[in-house]
Amino acid sequence: MLSLAPVMVGAKGTSWQGLGGEMSGYWERQGLAEAIGQAVHALGKPTESLTVDDVAQLDQFHGGGKRATERLANAAGLSAGMRVIDVGGGLGGPARTLAAQYGCTVTVIDLTESYVEAARMLTELLGLADRVSHQVGNALELPFSDASFDVVWTQNSGMNIADKERLYAGFRRVVRTEGILAFQEPMAGPVQPPIYPLMWAEDASGSFLRSPDEMSSVIEAAGFERRHWVDATDRKPATGAAPTSPTIQGLIMGERLAAITAAQPRNTEENRVVIYHGVFRARG
Ligand SMILES: C[S@@+](CC[C@H](N)C(=O)[O-])C[C@H]1O[C@@H](n2cnc3c(N)ncnc32)[C@H](O)[C@@H]1O
């Protein structure tokens, strides 16, 4: 049964030391699982009939929402039985979509403890715990054996990580030869710098974007071959009213969201931040 007590989502402020782990302090939110639980309860649907679509506004924490996850999964040709690792998988919305709609088995790793707790709660609630598991960990120190996955998947999580060479070398290590790397990633557009705050950083100290060409070179040097490379930036001006029910962006960013949303049009329209979808194959 979901809690109905009022819940405050507050910054927790804990951090991992080094290796990019200090970013966990930026993302951590106390009471997040309870707040998401309440928002799910407010949907008014019986728990046993909840679907990944019902909760998409609360667990797909990246531009383009669940549609972007589906577009990337289709481009990557994901299919039933594939073993996927979702790096920086957050609240687990993408992972549950890959399990429920594509038949994949997904291991999610994320640095932020409160997200992992909320993700486990949602995975249980949606009855997907046999196919999706969650653990706390750092993308730069993946605690898995070599070649243990068919697919490395990541959406909007590498932008906090400066050492891209180490990140992608780790991805190549854990995916089998001929396996797939599929990602959605904010990158540096031709006009720099970005306007802050960004969703992932208050200022330049937390954002590590490289240009699409630089990213492609790093990934190819790590042992991948490019198959699909698309500028997926949504440059349409925002239209319509603000959402009336809670979104994951609102729950996590709270009052900070207004400044992030105000900066966003300049970042996309002036080509300061671009979003790429990439699908690569692991070379032997
Ligand atoms: C914007 S959220 C995206 C979450 C999820 N991929 C999604 O699209 O719904 C960024 C995520 O990256 C995670 N992250 C940032 N740096 C990380 C690192 N070094 N290792 C693992 N996760 C990291 C954060 O904890 C956060 O959950």
Side-chain angles (χ1 to χ4, degrees):
M1 191 64 196
L2 296 169
S3 153
L4 286 175
V7 169
M8 297 294 290
V9 180
K12 203 169 167 187
T14 54
S15 67
W16 281 33
Q17 296 304 307
L19 290 178
E22 57 275 1
M23 285 316 299
S24 137
Y26 176 81
W27 293 110
E28 276 289 2
R29 296 294 182 272
Q30 240 161 10
L32 184 63
E34 292 85 345
I36 293 176
Q38 284 195 353
V40 172
H41 187 88
L43 297 171
K45 264 199 114 176
T47 308
E48 54 286 359
S49 61
L50 277 173
T51 67
V52 288
D53 286 300
D54 293 328
V55 299
Q57 202 165 281
L58 296 165
D59 67 5
Q60 301 265 352
F61 193 12
H62 52 259
K66 183 165 175 280
R67 284 282 311 277
T69 301
E70 291 165 343
R71 213 171 288 140
L72 182 59
N74 294 339
L78 297 199
S79 60
M82 285 181 166
R83 301 160 302 162
V84 180
I85 175 172
D86 183 357
V87 182
L91 292 312
R96 285 183 292 273
T97 298
L98 301 188
Q101 294 180 203
Y102 295 83
C104 300
T105 302
V106 191
T107 303
V108 186
I109 185 162
D110 197 282
L111 198 57
T112 307
E113 285 177 32
S114 56
Y115 292 13
V116 173
E117 181 194 355
R120 285 189 180 127
M121 178 276 291
L122 285 168
T123 293
E124 286 286 342
L125 207 58
L126 287 157
L128 290 167
D130 57 333
R131 276 171 283 162
V132 180
S133 63
H134 302 272
Q135 65 188 76
V136 176
N138 192 332
L140 291 171
E141 294 183 320
L142 295 174
F144 306 105
S145 319
D146 295 359
S148 45
F149 296 97
D150 303 305
V151 181
V152 176
W153 176 276
T154 185
Q155 279 177 282
N156 290 54
S157 61
M159 60 278 168
N160 289 140
I161 297 174
D163 193 346
K164 312 279 186 213
E165 285 76 10
R166 178 173 175 150
L167 180 68
Y168 285 91
F171 289 175
R172 177 63 192 91
R173 184 184 67 74
V174 299
V175 72
R176 68 169 171 79
T177 296
E178 298 292 312
I180 295 165
L181 164 64
F183 63 81
Q184 170 170 324
E185 179 80 18
M187 298 182 193
V191 178
Q192 290 298 301
I195 309 293
Y196 295 96
L198 295 160
M199 188 69 76
W200 56 91
E202 296 203 33
D203 55 41
S205 67
S207 181
F208 302 98
L209 304 187
R210 297 195 200 174
S211 72
D213 283 352
E214 288 168 331
M215 288 295 290
S216 191
S217 299
V218 167
I219 297 164
E220 285 167 290
F224 292 98
E225 178 186 293
R226 198 164 94 181
R227 291 296 173 94
H228 172 83
W229 187 245
V230 169
D231 180 345
T233 316
D234 182 1
R235 292 189 178 81
K236 288 188 296 297
T239 52
T244 49
S245 52
T247 63
I248 192 60
Q249 287 82 357
L251 283 177
I252 287 178
M253 292 302 161
E255 289 176 0
R256 292 193 233 170
L257 187 61
I260 295 168
T261 309
Q264 197 169 356
R266 283 197 62 195
N267 281 318
T268 51
E269 286 160 23
E270 296 174 13
N271 270 323
R272 293 172 186 271
V273 176
V274 293
I275 310 290
Y276 266 69
H277 280 188
V279 178
F280 288 68
R281 189 163 294 272
R283 287 199 309 268

